[in-house]
Amino acid sequence: MSNVTRRQMITSGLAATAGVSSIAVAAHLADQYGLLPPDCGNLYRPGEVLTFASQRLLGSGSPAREFDSSQISKPPHANGKPLASENFKKLAANGFADWRLNIDGMVSRPLSLSLSELRGYSSRSQITHLACEEGWSFIAQWTGVPLSHILELAGASAKAKYVFYFSIQSRWWDSVDMSDAYHPQTLVTYGMNGEDLPVGHGGPLRLRVPRQLGYKSVKYITRLTVTDTLKGFGKGMGSSAAERGYAWYSGI
Ligand SMILES: Nc1nc2c(c(=O)[nH]1)N[C@H]1C(S)=C(S)[C@@H](COP(=O)(O)O)O[C@H]1N2
Ligand SMILES: [Mo]
């Protein structure tokens, strides 16, 4: 059976069984083909399982929609206030010259990159939508280095399955699988609407994951860890948001 036919069969099988509400059957089928997001355990959220499964079957190419510059929201919505921590204030006081992004885990060359080093790599800009699960959203232009480039610089192992990213705000950390990690729209972001990324939006550095809901775009990132397991990070659910009840995978 050709690959396409097999994929078509699995997708329509998933859709059909979900349609007649035999979610357990759909989930069993999805599990056989490695299509279940890692946090679903035995409690399936059919919508998420199906988006994850169909996006993975369609391949990592499917991009988030990009907009025209005339569609950029004015003024952009900021969800956060500048951080009050002394450590952050000290870093901000000298223009984040001492900010570092460390890359460790399953890499052959661990890195510690400054903002100016990051700005020196070839960048990508894209105008995408950031949607909060609470209902509001905005469109902005985001500029940064594709995460894929940093993974290549660090020599990420071919056996890796996830990239974790950690904020200076310790309650915020998350992970993506390699399909999202190597996706060209996943950006280590330092610019917004042609300026430095404002602190309210996660400046100086944030991971933008435009194919998922806003909470996966963690602000103030200081560390990336390449790994083949979710174990050993918090409760093993892959995400601080998942520990608070959100889905690990929230594709849009
Ligand atoms: N470090 C950190 N990252 C974070 C958050 C946060 O409070 N702290 N909020 C998340 C949520 S719930 C959303 S919807 C978006 C909001 O992004 P914005 O501030 O650019 O609007 O950031 C996400 N990343
Ligand atoms: Mo959010």
Side-chain angles (χ1 to χ4, degrees), residues 134-192:
E134 287 174 13
W136 51 266
S137 68
F138 65 95
I139 292 169
Q141 184 198 51
W142 309 91
T143 301
V145 187
L147 176 58
S148 63
H149 183 64
I150 293 171
L151 294 173
E152 279 154 22
L153 284 175
S157 164
K159 291 184 185 143
K161 290 189 180 157
Y162 306 100
V163 177
F164 275 78
Y165 40 106
F166 300 90
S167 172
I168 198 168
Q169 241 183 337
S170 55
R171 71 186 288 265
W172 281 90
W173 50 273
D174 217 302
S175 63
V176 287
D177 66 8
M178 296 324 255
S179 170
D180 265 333
Y182 281 105
H183 191 278
Q185 289 175 314
T186 302
L187 293 190
V188 174
T189 300
Y190 50 75
M192 179 178 173

Side-chain angles (χ1 to χ4, degrees), residues 49 93 105 121 128 141 148 160 201 211 218 221 237 239 241 245:
V49 171
Y121 301 134
T128 54
Q141 184 198 51
S148 63
H201 287 285
R211 299 199 306 168
V218 170
I221 57 166
M237 300 168 87
S239 157

Side-chain angles (χ1 to χ4, degrees), residues 89-136:
K89 282 193 203 153
K90 221 184 283 169
L91 287 158
N94 76 342
F96 298 115
D98 297 320
W99 194 274
R100 286 289 179 284
L101 179 67
N102 297 311
I103 298 97
D104 57 29
M106 294 172 70
V107 295
S108 49
R109 293 175 291 278
L111 301 172
S112 180
L113 302 171
S114 67
L115 295 174
S116 59
E117 284 172 299
L118 286 165
R119 286 197 190 93
Y121 301 134
S122 43
S123 67
R124 177 180 169 124
S125 287
Q126 63 207 16
I127 301 173
T128 54
H129 191 230
L130 187 149
C132 173
E133 73 295 343
E134 287 174 13
W136 51 266

Side-chain angles (χ1 to χ4, degrees), residues 39-107:
D39 69 336
C40 68
N42 287 318
L43 281 170
Y44 299 109
R45 307 188 210 208
E48 279 140 25
V49 171
L50 286 172
T51 5
F52 183 83
S54 56
Q55 291 199 357
R56 291 302 172 264
L57 283 167
L58 292 169
S60 58
S62 56
R65 182 173 168 200
E66 295 194 21
F67 296 82
D68 187 80
S69 54
S70 66
Q71 294 168 291
I72 291 174
S73 310
K74 295 174 187 125
H77 201 307
N79 188 24
K81 297 180 221 106
L83 296 187
S85 81
E86 286 309 315
N87 187 17
F88 188 83
K89 282 193 203 153
K90 221 184 283 169
L91 287 158
N94 76 342
F96 298 115
D98 297 320
W99 194 274
R100 286 289 179 284
L101 179 67
N102 297 311
I103 298 97
D104 57 29
M106 294 172 70
V107 295

